[in-house]
Structure formats: C-alpha cells, structure tokens
Amino acid sequence: MDASQSATSTTVPPVRKSVDVSVPADRAFAHFTRRPTDWWPESHVLVARRERVIFEPRVGGRWYERSTDGSELDWGRVLAWDPPRRLVLTWRIDGAFRPIDGDERASRVEVTFTPRGPGSTRVELAHVELARHGEAAGRIRAAIDGPSPGETLARFAATLTSGEDHG
C-alpha cells in the first residue's frame, strides 16, 4: 500500500449497520444467503430486469445477479462461508455502480450472525476497505451510509419475520 492509499484508508471509515431479528442464527443465515431475491432492494439492480440474486454457498463462489433474459452480472466473490456465523464477500462495484473485474479494487462486505438469546439474532453488516475503490471511495461510502439498519437490512428483517421464509 502506498502513502496515498494509506491516507485514503484513514479518511474512508467502514459503513456498519445492524438489525435484530426474532429467529435463531441458522435461520437468519439461511434466509440471508438462500433467499436474497426476496429482500434485496429493487433499486439496487445492475441488470436490465432482475430475476434473481444468488450466493454460491462456498469460499470462492460467486455473488451475482441474473436477468430475466438469462444474462448474469457478478457483484463479487465469497471470501468466507461459515454458516450460521459469518459471511464475507468482495464488492466489485465501482463509484458509478457498475461492475469491476477482479478483487484488486473491490471492497469487502462482512456479515455476522450473533445469537442474542433463544430465538433472537443480531445481524451486523460492515462494508469495509472502501479505500480500495480509490477516488470513488468517498462517493461509494456516501451512497451506502445512512441510519442503521438501512434499506437492505430493514427489508431482510421484514421478509424474515413476515412468515414468508421457507428455508
């Protein structure tokens, strides 16, 4: 890391959000990773018409979006797959919210599922290493920052507790 990257990393803090859900961690993890199409905001789309959002359930797997025409667009790669505790992904999206190739300029999304008692889980999402996006880092952070839990985790929690989860 050169001096400019070091300076950028200290000026672009991570974005952290969390939500408590009234289900055990294994169910929360399963809903997050198996049913993202149910809760991922429709405004967060890179393909023309989304059919599905997919996490391949393994380290090295893809995290991607499939269009109704069958085309696919990668959002990143799975770096850690540790059900029901933790999921880490690269985020290969640039400052104009277009895909980028490779992980050299990709930030990371870390999601943890922490039991908070019988039938309750804290889901924490941290978007880290934003400085890897270079000049676009501040713009990306501004776009994804805001009050917790944010639209994405709020939708996740709402679909999980609405009785629509079928594992």
Side-chain angles (χ1 to χ4, degrees):
M1 178 183 316
D2 66 30
S4 66
Q5 288 174 313
S6 178
T8 303
S9 65
T10 61
T11 60
V12 186
V15 173
R16 298 183 186 281
K17 300 188 183 293
S18 65
V19 67
D20 291 324
V21 293
S22 298
V23 298
D26 60 340
R27 183 167 169 216
F29 185 94
H31 186 74
F32 194 96
T33 59
R34 293 183 195 160
R35 301 182 60 95
T37 308
D38 292 353
W39 55 265
W40 199 267
E42 292 156 13
S43 60
H44 299 21
V45 62
L46 299 178
V47 295
R49 291 188 346 228
R50 176 187 299 149
E51 177 186 59
R52 290 186 66 200
V53 175
I54 301 161
F55 292 99
E56 292 180 343
R58 66 182 181 281
V59 171
R62 296 166 56 216
W63 169 33
Y64 64 101
E65 183 175 34
R66 180 178 298 143
S67 175
T68 55
D69 69 6
S71 62
E72 297 176 350
L73 218 150
D74 282 2
W75 289 354
R77 291 290 182 268
V78 177
L79 299 177
W81 184 270
D82 184 18
R85 292 177 287 284
R86 184 170 172 254
L87 173 69
V88 179
L89 311 157
T90 61
W91 198 64
R92 295 178 174 181
I93 310 296
D94 72 10
F97 292 90
R98 295 177 308 222
I100 56 177
D101 290 329
D103 288 333
E104 303 78 36
R105 295 181 302 127
S107 53
R108 309 279 187 267
V109 176
E110 301 174 352
V111 188
T112 57
F113 302 82
T114 306
R116 305 280 288 178
S120 179
T121 303
R122 160 97 18 118
V123 180
E124 296 174 286
L125 187 149
H127 200 140
V128 303
E129 299 182 21
L130 290 162
R132 295 172 65 100
H133 292 287
E135 291 182 14
R139 185 168 54 254
I140 291 170
R141 186 180 194 288
I144 62 176
D145 195 19
S148 192
E151 180 185 12
T152 303
L153 282 184
R155 287 177 55 96
F156 163 74
T159 60
L160 182 58
T161 59
S162 68
E164 296 175 12
D165 180 52
H166 304 296

